[in-house]
Amino acid sequence: MDLDKFFQKGELVPAVVQEAGTGEVLMLAYMNRESLQKTLETGYTWFFSRSRGKLWHKGETSGHVQRVVRIAGDCDSDTLLVTVVQTGPACHTGKKSCFFDTIWEETT
């Protein structure tokens, strides 16, 4: 598989992480070539931390790992959809998903 096509626009590619059983979006993180390769090799998510400037294995300290069941690239090859089986909460706040802060919702 040619992974280079996902990094033509930059060194990092957004990775949307989705729960396999429910389809719920759990989080957004970034992958570089190395973290994507480690994810493919191990079957568990690895990301690149922009704030720390290094790789991180999701769940390394919390135990809330993500077992990968599918990775798909979008039509422009500049975003990844990573479908996982999540152990525990995905968000560092302890919430199941990082997307819990509703800004607007239709009320009709």
Side-chain angles (χ1 to χ4, degrees):
M1 170 191 297
D2 177 25
L3 301 181
D4 288 339
K5 70 180 182 176
F6 296 107
F7 301 98
Q8 302 243 342
K9 296 177 184 174
E11 294 181 11
L12 298 177
V13 61
V16 177
V17 180
Q18 176 184 46
E19 173 66 48
T22 65
E24 182 177 11
V25 175
L26 299 175
M27 58 183 279
L28 170 74
Y30 292 87
M31 289 183 158
N32 63 7
R33 281 181 183 85
E34 185 179 3
S35 64
L36 179 54
Q37 188 62 48
K38 286 182 84 69
T39 297
L40 293 170
E41 290 170 2
T42 66
Y44 288 86
T45 54
W46 285 80
F47 301 106
F48 183 83
S49 170
R50 296 179 303 163
S51 60
R52 292 177 285 185
K54 66 178 189 172
L55 292 185
W56 61 282
H57 171 52
K58 178 65 176 159
E60 184 174 13
T61 56
S62 68
H64 301 152
V65 296
Q66 298 172 334
R67 183 175 55 82
V68 178
V69 296
R70 181 174 185 260
I71 300 176
D74 76 335
C75 58
D76 295 323
S77 297
D78 63 3
T79 303
L80 299 173
L81 177 62
V82 184
T83 307
V84 303
V85 173
Q86 176 70 46
T87 301
C91 186
H92 73 280
T93 65
K95 303 275 189 183
K96 178 180 180 186
S97 168
C98 293
F99 295 96
F100 58 85
D101 189 12
T102 303
I103 296 171
W104 182 86
E105 189 170 345
E106 184 180 56
T107 57
T108 60

